[in-house]
Amino acid sequence: MTSVVIQGWSWWSSSQFNKRQLAESINNAQNVFEQYTKEKEKLLTTAARVLTADFGFKQAVTTKDAETIASVLLNHGQRIDADLMLLTDLEGQLISSSLLEFNLDSAQTTSLKVLLNDPGKTHFMILQNTLYQLLALSVNAPRPIAYAIVGFEINSVVADELKTLTGLDISFFNDMDSVITSSINTTNDILTPQYLTSKSLSWLFGSRPAFDNRQIEIDTTTEHPIKLFLTADLSSTYEEYDSLLLSITVIASLIMLVAILLSGLFAKNLTKPLYQLVDLSKAFSKGQYVNIASDTKMSQEISTLFDAFSEMGQAIDTRENQILYQSQHDTLTGLYNRHTFRQVISNTLINGKQHLLIAVNIRGFSNLNDILGIQIGDQCLKALAQRLIDFSKDGWQHARLDGDVFLSLIPLVENVHADRCVQEFLTRLAKPLKVDSLELNLKFWTGITIYPQDGDDAKAIFRRTMIALDYAEKDNKPIRYYHTGEEEARLQHLSIIEALRLALILDDGQLYMNYQPKLNLKTGKIDKVEALIRWKHPELGFVSPEIFISYAEQTGIIFDLTAWVIDTVLKQLSDWQQKGIFIDAAINISAQDISHPDFHMNLKEATIKHQISPKYITLEVTERDLMQDEVQAIALLIELKERGYTISVDDYGIGQSSLAKLKQLPVDELKIDKSFIMELNSSESDQIIVSSTISLGHRLGLSVVAEGLENNESLDILKNMGCDHIQGYFLSRPMASEAFIEWLGSYNHKNV
Ligand code: C2E
Ligand code: CA
Ligand code: CA
């Protein structure tokens, strides 16, 4: 653009310059021409003066001596190189001429008068078809008697001479616009003023004038005026101008070419690396942090930018990897986290190749945390993770799930039994662990599944391993394999829990109580019943309490259930008491009831509501439940005992608690578990256990109940052993309250 503007401006200014120069040279030419005519005028004046002052000539004019006049005119004319010498009378009538056969017609005579009227001044005039510059002076003797006219011919020689002087062409035209004389030679065209002003030369897409003209005022006659044209032939100017334009154009084009080349070069150096940067950032956005080494040459700035970009990519890559690592791994141990391990499992377990999935939970880890502090706990987890890694073999993979649960995926080697592999794994894992100068002997619960036997997809295997671990914890087993069907049972469990929750809310008779009598062997009377819950679901049918009670315990709704039982049983007792039947009722209590802060208050409120004294109520707590939360359980039991409730240890004998421990518990009664009683008559070992339990119980001041009595022989044995109460199918199955009352009536009647 710049060069186009410069070029345009150059064109315009040089053409302006040309015009000015042209005008100046025309001015100069005009001056020169005027100078020239003045000079000529002076010459003519001098010649005419000399002539008119010549005494002999004057005399010849006076005497009209034609011969003398003619020879004087000729001589003088030759002396000053004049082309025409005339002598006229005062009226302009020709008297004599230096030229032979020179005549004037009347029109020319009239014209001459102009000259005569203005003596001493030159005029241009055509005489006898020739243009002259003429001057007239009067011949005085002493009054004017005639006129002497002197003149130079204006012919092509003069025109050429003028051209050399002025530098311009000069043309004289008559009143008919035909040329008289001119320095211009036209070969084909007729030279006219018209021609000079209108001739044009074609140029580029248009045309331009061939000449620049100026018509100059000269003294001439009005009848036949002479036109004088100064003409500049523009073709040479055009030539110069055109060559100047050409060079400007060439230079401008060159500049443009160079500019285009340079910008192309710049663009190449700039845009190619920029495109590469664009590619790079596109790759970045796809998460490919490739380090593109650029092969193109680039400027310092671009290459710095390129480096910065690459560096940025590397940094993002590193950081993304870090984030990815953190999102996939457990920050504490560096093992996989739960989410990722699920993926690992599903990636690994694909082709049916046998694998073990072992879930490990550290026993009593929360205690360890409480006692030694979280830091030691964390170090312990780390050390354990390191140990897992250290004894890993080919293809072993590990994860830490939440807290203290680890998960290991182990390919089973052919001919090595799963059991052996698990044993080896646990032996290595259970070796004393050094943590911060402490030596810890950790114990574990493990849940184990075998792929593909226990499930052929990763999700199922994972779930079932966790189920197995759950059972390991519940049953306190160091090694627990998953059993087929357990998951399905769990699912059923869930639906049962929902139904139970609903049954409790509705209280529409699905839930009701049965009562199983207890016989006092000392008095022979039925003085107690055990209240046992029953549930008949409209669709599921009869659901065994063995099942739904344990589910209720697992899900925490046992507390509401126990509250319902207490309310129902106490209402029943109150009913019975109103009928005059004063009988003890035993209510089964779960561990979670004991540890619930509102339990005692609920119980108290129920006794007040139904006006039942605690002395009619026995609370049956299993041996295992008692041992779970000893301190709190003991505190509550002491309180309850003080209030007058009877505390009974249910299922005694299967919980492996020592009698020494039992001694510290505030209990009143031992209920020997039915597994020792049901076949008492036929099992000697049961007899030994039962008899020693009865005597030990008595020694501790406890009353002893045998439950699960199914035959008469066992009854006799128990009587002999000094057992206090018996309960069992032999006496009666658990019954609804009306059935029980009926049964009680007939029993009392039978035994009276
Ligand atoms: P448990 O407390 O040991 O109750 C005694 C279980 O033994 C009752 O089973 C009873 O029907 C059964 N039984 C009684 N005599 C005999 C016999 O001679 N032979 C045999 N084979 N069994 C006999 P039930 O009613 O199915 O209850 C099972 C368990 O459910 C109970 O065991 C108790 O732990 C729990 N349970 C029942 N009702 C309640 C309740 O209201 N609250 C709580 N927390 N648990 C309850
Ligand atoms: Ca019981
Ligand atoms: Ca029992």
Side-chain angles (χ1 to χ4, degrees):
M1 273 176 68
T2 309
S3 56
V4 164
V5 168
I6 288 175
Q7 192 176 356
W9 186 78
S10 311
W11 284 10
W12 183 80
S13 64
S14 57
S15 82
Q16 288 306 102
F17 177 73
N18 275 345
K19 268 184 199 161
R20 272 203 308 279
Q21 274 218 323
L22 203 62
E24 212 170 295
S25 57
I26 290 179
N27 283 344
N28 285 342
Q30 188 174 354
N31 286 339
V32 168
F33 174 77
E34 278 161 8
Q35 210 71 36
Y36 175 87
T37 44
K38 279 259 160 62
E39 285 303 317
K40 288 281 176 188
E41 194 177 60
K42 268 187 203 161
L43 271 178
L44 288 175
T45 310
T46 315
R49 279 213 185 112
V50 171
L51 179 69
T52 51
D54 189 323
F55 182 75
F57 179 64
K58 271 199 231 180
Q59 207 164 34
V61 173
T62 318
T63 57
K64 298 183 181 173
D65 177 358
E67 222 165 294
T68 310
I69 291 170
S71 79
V72 171
L73 283 180
L74 194 67
N75 285 340
H76 267 280
Q78 276 166 351
R79 207 180 311 146
I80 59 158
D81 221 6
D83 297 309
L84 185 65
M85 299 291 280
L86 297 180
L87 185 72
T88 63
D89 62 13
L90 291 176
E91 297 306 314
Q93 294 291 335
L94 187 67
I95 299 167
S96 180
S97 160
S98 59
L99 296 180
L100 297 174
E101 289 170 35
F102 188 84
N103 290 309
L104 288 177
D105 57 27
S106 60
Q108 287 170 335
T109 309
T110 320
S111 294
L112 271 184
K113 275 196 176 155
V114 179
L115 193 66
L116 304 184
N117 289 340
D118 192 12
K121 272 219 115 206
T122 55
H123 279 72
F124 290 87
M125 210 170 279
I126 297 170
L127 298 175
Q128 297 253 315
N129 295 326
T130 308
L131 178 64
Y132 294 101
Q133 183 180 6
L134 297 172
L135 181 125
L137 272 184
S138 53
V139 182
N140 299 329
R143 280 188 299 115
I145 48 170
Y147 284 103
I149 297 172
V150 193
F152 293 120
E153 190 185 332
I154 306 287
N155 52 24
S156 60
V157 179
V158 175
D160 288 341
E161 192 189 342
L162 274 171
K163 185 181 176 177
T164 358
L165 283 175
T166 60
L168 293 185
D169 280 304
I170 197 151
S171 308
F172 293 89
F173 299 97
N174 63 16
D175 55 350
M176 305 297 287
D177 278 349
S178 49
V179 67
I180 302 160
T181 182
S182 172
S183 58
I184 301 169
N185 290 317
T186 55
T187 38
N188 297 328
D189 300 301
I190 301 160
L191 188 62
T192 57
Q194 190 68 23
Y195 170 81
L196 286 179
T197 48
S198 65
K199 174 153 170 96
S200 62
L201 301 170
S202 66
W203 179 61
L204 295 180
F205 306 107
S207 59
R208 51 189 179 183
F211 307 106
D212 194 1
N213 304 289
R214 185 176 293 175
Q215 194 181 343
I216 298 197
E217 292 298 321
I218 49 173
D219 294 317
T220 177
T221 56
T222 38
E223 286 84 7
H224 303 285
I226 306 294
K227 289 177 194 159
L228 170 57
F229 274 80
L230 283 177
T231 302
D233 186 350
L234 294 175
S235 49
S236 68
T237 316
Y238 286 151
E239 234 166 70
E240 263 174 55
Y241 177 70
D242 287 352
S243 84
L244 179 69
L245 273 194
L246 185 70
S247 33
I248 289 174
T249 310
V250 167
I251 288 169
S253 307
L254 273 177
I255 287 172
M256 280 197 269
L257 192 71
V258 169
I260 287 166
L261 283 178
L262 279 181
S263 61
L265 203 69
F266 274 128
K268 210 182 157 203
N269 280 357
L270 191 68
T271 51
K272 203 168 171 198
L274 280 181
Y275 274 123
Q276 280 182 332
L277 279 182
V278 169
D279 287 346
L280 202 62
S281 59
K282 274 183 186 161
F284 283 6
S285 71
K286 284 183 199 140
Q288 300 157 352
Y289 302 103
V290 282
N291 201 358
I292 297 179
S294 179
D295 50 349
T296 38
K297 275 187 198 160
M298 45 183 126
S299 69
Q300 178 80 44
E301 294 88 341
I302 294 287
S303 96
T304 312
L305 186 62
F306 213 88
D307 289 348
F309 239 72
S310 300
E311 243 169 66
M312 181 180 80
Q314 296 303 314
I316 295 176
D317 195 23
T318 325
R319 223 171 24 239
E320 259 190 12
N321 283 336
Q322 239 166 34
I323 292 168
L324 188 70
Y325 182 86
Q326 278 170 7
S327 72
Q328 289 180 341
H329 293 80
D330 168 41
T331 38
L332 181 69
T333 61
L335 299 180
Y336 286 121
N337 59 23
R338 173 191 288 267
H339 173 75
T340 315
F341 204 58
R342 278 174 185 275
Q343 200 55 48
V344 169
I345 296 172
S346 69
N347 290 345
T348 312
L349 305 183
I350 33 172
N351 48 11
K353 191 177 177 304
Q354 278 208 317
H355 274 79
L356 283 177
L357 188 60
I358 307 179
V360 178
N361 190 353
I362 306 168
R363 267 158 73 175
F365 184 72
S366 57
N367 279 347
L368 185 141
N369 253 343
D370 290 346
I371 296 164
L372 300 176
I374 288 175
Q375 253 176 337
I376 297 285
D378 282 355
Q379 283 185 40
C380 173
L381 292 173
K382 268 193 202 168
L384 208 61
Q386 191 53 50
R387 174 169 291 177
L388 279 172
I389 293 163
D390 288 345
F391 70 66
S392 280
K393 293 179 189 162
D394 225 21
W396 293 28
Q397 299 179 91
H398 312 280
R400 183 169 83 107
L401 310 188
D402 4 60
D404 55 346
V405 178
F406 292 86
L407 207 56
S408 299
L409 186 64
I410 297 173
L412 265 181
V413 183
E414 250 177 273
N415 299 327
V416 176
H417 196 268
D419 270 341
R420 236 189 74 197
C421 188
V422 170
Q423 285 299 346
E424 195 186 316
F425 177 87
L426 277 180
T427 326
R428 282 167 180 265
L429 198 64
K431 281 190 183 152
L433 195 66
K434 269 209 103 145
V435 174
D436 206 29
S437 80
L438 291 170
E439 200 173 77
L440 301 174
N441 279 297
L442 298 177
K443 292 208 168 60
F444 307 98
W445 292 301
T446 52
I448 302 157
T449 49
I450 305 172
Y451 169 84
Q453 286 96 303
D454 291 333
D456 50 12
D457 78 293
K459 279 186 186 162
I461 280 288
F462 184 85
R463 281 195 316 266
R464 290 170 185 177
T465 310
M466 299 323 286
I467 290 172
L469 180 66
D470 196 34
Y471 283 128
E473 287 170 35
K474 284 220 174 74
D475 305 342
N476 197 15
K477 283 186 175 165
I479 298 174
R480 171 67 155 79
Y481 284 92
Y482 175 79
H483 302 318
T484 312
E486 270 175 342
E487 191 181 23
E488 290 77 3
R490 281 225 166 185
L491 288 177
Q492 196 196 350
H493 163 188
L494 286 177
S495 62
I496 286 177
I497 292 299
E498 273 319 300
L500 183 61
R501 220 188 284 275
L502 196 64
L504 265 174
I505 294 167
L506 295 174
D507 197 9
D508 56 354
Q510 288 182 45
L511 293 169
Y512 57 95
M513 297 310 294
N514 266 4
Y515 300 93
Q516 188 176 33
K518 288 180 185 178
L519 172 66
N520 185 328
L521 290 180
K522 299 283 149 57
T523 62
K525 283 192 173 147
I526 303 295
D527 55 3
K528 284 186 171 188
V529 287
E530 181 178 4
L532 293 160
I533 193 166
R534 294 292 174 263
W535 180 23
K536 195 158 184 277
H537 186 266
E539 280 149 39
L540 297 169
F542 185 79
V543 185
S544 161
E546 303 258 25
I547 295 171
F548 74 80
I549 291 293
S550 85
Y551 290 173
E553 282 172 347
Q554 286 164 25
T555 53
I557 59 169
I558 188 68
F559 181 75
D560 294 332
L561 191 77
T562 304
W564 182 88
V565 169
I566 288 170
D567 189 63
T568 311
V569 171
L570 263 58
K571 187 168 178 269
Q572 189 63 68
L573 282 186
S574 144
D575 270 8
W576 286 341
Q577 286 184 2
Q578 274 163 26
K579 287 175 185 162
I581 302 163
F582 288 84
I583 204 161
D584 270 22
I587 295 170
N588 291 285
I589 304 296
S590 297
Q592 284 169 50
D593 294 318
I594 303 170
S595 56
H596 200 290
D598 295 340
F599 174 72
H600 189 189
M601 181 57 78
N602 279 357
L603 187 60
K604 198 173 157 186
E605 278 172 6
T607 56
I608 293 166
K609 179 181 168 194
H610 297 292
Q611 300 278 306
I612 301 294
S613 161
K615 72 173 178 180
Y616 292 108
I617 301 167
T618 298
L619 299 173
E620 289 189 12
V621 187
T622 66
E623 190 188 352
R624 180 127 55 79
D625 286 355
L626 271 177
M627 300 304 159
Q628 252 187 37
D629 198 350
E630 281 175 68
V631 186
Q632 211 187 338
I634 291 170
L636 179 73
L637 292 180
I638 289 173
E639 218 180 308
L640 290 170
K641 191 176 151 88
E642 276 172 4
R643 297 234 162 239
Y645 295 98
T646 306
I647 312 294
S648 177
V649 180
D650 203 356
D651 299 346
Y652 183 75
I654 54 168
Q656 300 155 342
S657 57
S658 69
L659 270 173
K661 244 206 182 133
L662 208 60
K663 213 173 142 188
Q664 301 163 9
L665 293 175
V667 294
D668 304 285
E669 190 182 272
L670 281 188
K671 256 186 116 172
I672 300 172
D673 189 70
K674 56 179 177 282
S675 59
F676 299 103
I677 306 299
M678 288 190 307
E679 284 142 20
L680 186 69
N681 57 324
S682 56
S683 162
E684 220 167 298
S685 63
D686 283 352
Q687 285 170 24
I688 295 168
I689 293 167
V690 171
S691 102
S692 63
T693 308
I694 291 172
S695 57
L696 276 170
H698 283 164
R699 230 181 283 167
L700 288 170
L702 304 172
S703 160
V704 179
V705 182
E707 71 171 343
L709 179 76
E710 293 194 345
N711 55 62
N712 204 12
E713 284 161 63
S714 300
L715 175 64
D716 289 337
I717 295 169
L718 287 167
K719 266 181 191 166
N720 289 334
M721 285 178 180
C723 185
D724 301 284
H725 279 87
I726 57 108
Q727 177 189 349
Y729 291 171
F730 178 70
L731 192 64
S732 166
R733 286 187 173 255
M735 296 164 282
S737 77
E738 304 82 39
F740 167 67
I741 295 299
E742 209 172 297
W743 177 88
L744 187 65
S746 67
Y747 182 86
N748 282 340
H749 183 72
K750 207 162 52 187
N751 285 282
V752 162

